[in-house]
Amino acid sequence: MTGQVRVPDQIHVGERLHALQQEILVGIALGDSLENVLTTFCLGVEALAPGVICSISGVDDERLTFIAGPSVPDSYAREIEGVRVGPTVGSCGTAIYLRRAVEVRDIEKDPLWAPYKSHALPFDLQACWSCPIEAADGRVLGAFAFYFREKRGVNLFERQIAGECVKFCAMAIENSEARKRLNNLAFFDPLTGLGNRVTLKNRLGIILQRASEMRRAVAVYHIDISEFRAINDLHGRVVGDMALIKVAQVLRSVALDCDLIVRMGGDEFVVVKTKASDDSDSKQFAEAIVSGLRGRYRVERGEEFMIDVRAGVASFPQDGEDQDELLERAEMALLRAKRNGARFALFEPQMEYERRQRRSLERDVGLAVERQELSLVFQPQVDAKTGSVTAFEVLVRWAHPDAGLISPDRFIPVAEANGAIHEIGEFVLREACREAAQWREKFRVAINVSAAQIMRSDFVQLVTDVLAETGLEPSRLEIEVTESLFIQDLAAASSILRRLKRLGVSVAMDDFGTGYSSLSTLRAFPFDRIKVDRSFVRDMINNSDAAAIVNSVIGLGRAMGLCVVAEGVESQEQLAMLRLIGCDEIQGYLFGKPLPAESYADITGPQVVFNDIHDKHSATL
Ligand code: C2E
Ligand code: CA
Ligand code: CA
């Protein structure tokens, strides 16, 4: 052992170290890999301190990882990779374990090296000084080591260099960790651990490219949880999050052989299956996804919730050439499934046309009021016992210049989605009140009001103003609402309805029996009337379940002192049955179709007999 290490000029070294650090900083800033950055660093340090062999190791879960050491023989590097750190694990493993520098002047004799020296000595690594690399928060990130080909310790100069180096290594490793975390955030959904939109975008393109080279099909499934908002609203966000995690778990198990499962955000997921074959395969797999996910789940705290999903499928290459097209079309198919109440739907070219139509509908519905394309029709409600007209329900009609008459079932949801409903609703309210105020008989007038409209802060004021402006007695106005109004904020909704009732306006629950919380909504607010949905009335003659529902609703209404109206009454048979079970009021084509106000101008007296109206309007049936 000589100890004759040449000590270069200190100032010169300081400058070169500084230059080296600058170079490394640029590498880090440019996103160079940790291995590359630290390899360059080691080479630079070795050039500065002749006679040292520099290595940098990291630690992962208590085990050594070899990060850089360009002059350390590869086979030696492989040997130390994965060795568990401990009190007698060479220089680096021990330095990390003890959190302090460890000097081994003679690898051959030192007990710390006993199990490892056989890997080092053949390469003439005789001594090793190692020092822990610590993060700002005190965590040990790894070890910085100098190996020597002679049996000796580290000198003051080398120790000074090492002191600078360790700080630098800490920064580089921490930066790389942060970059990994950012990467994870950028590519993965933290809640479910699935890939996200970015991952989908990155991977799907490659998958399609490969599929096209190999002439293989790829199926893209767009999956959406039905009524997810209701899960959030009814059970809270924590349960909502659980539901998403559950869905991700089940998806992983159902889509085992799929190449990509991502959460698109919210309650939407996409699964990409490359080993897809034909439509029947797609159907089978869609069915497997939907039935795998559908069901009742329970979270730890004991709350139960239902999950139901729908899926839309588009296949490469038949339904789309590139990823954007495929994703768009899978979503279109999903929309179709939702609209049809189906479990899933496969893309069809027809959907493209429908979407274009919907787009123009969206655009035009906002202009309908201004262009005076809306009009109102009126449908009578009659007393089931006496047959006299008690009220008219107002239904809006839209005469589109190109598309002709568009049904409210089609355009109201569009108007609700884009906000046009407020203008439309105000028009209906004002026109209906204006019309009713002119009637000779004081029939009630019932209008349908969307949830969004009611929840707007100025709705009660609007009703007050319109009543004042048109002179209609408040008791003659009835507002029909559906259960959807209560889903989001039951307390707020019932508070608004109470304010309306204080004005003297009455409130009816429409489409009763179709929602999923009918009874709780009935308890939440004192309705004046419930309207049994026309689907039950339609089925009551042939379907005993439907008949039982009508029967129990009428019983319930009676028990609660409410008036029960049956909608959609078309036949004498239905009428007879409804009268038998004690329905209070009747509405339907049997008595009168929804028609412009002029058509009913002749109904003046309260005592209009069934057959009268029936005969008069049966021509229009
Ligand atoms: P709704 O409130 O349940 O209205 C009753 C619907 O049943 C009307 O359809 C009416 O034409 C139809 N109908 C009445 N009697 C019979 C019958 O005997 N048999 C059959 N098969 N159908 C009958 P319409 O006019 O197409 O309205 C559909 C829905 O659009 C309404 O359902 C209501 O939810 C909504 N809507 C209509 N006008 C407005 C409005 O001014 N504002 C809002 N927000 N929604 C409206
Ligand atoms: Ca209605
Ligand atoms: Ca209804």
Side-chain angles (χ1 to χ4, degrees), residues 440-441 443 600-606 608:
R440 272 167 293 172
E441 294 298 322
F443 302 125
Y600 290 108
D602 56 338
I603 304 175
T604 51
V608 182

Side-chain angles (χ1 to χ4, degrees), residues 35 213 419:
E35 287 72 17
E213 284 161 11

Side-chain angles (χ1 to χ4, degrees), residues 58-110:
V59 60
D60 186 12
D61 201 16
E62 311 261 294
R63 287 178 188 279
L64 286 174
T65 58
F66 188 83
I67 300 177
S71 310
V72 172
D74 281 349
S75 58
Y76 172 71
R78 274 198 302 275
E79 279 311 320
I80 66 164
E81 177 78 32
V83 170
R84 182 178 279 281
V85 302
T88 57
V89 181
S91 305
C92 295
T94 310
I96 291 173
Y97 185 80
L98 298 177
R99 299 170 156 266
R100 61 171 169 77
V102 170
E103 186 172 64
V104 171
R105 288 167 171 258
D106 184 351
I107 284 180
E108 192 176 2
K109 300 239 172 64
D110 199 305

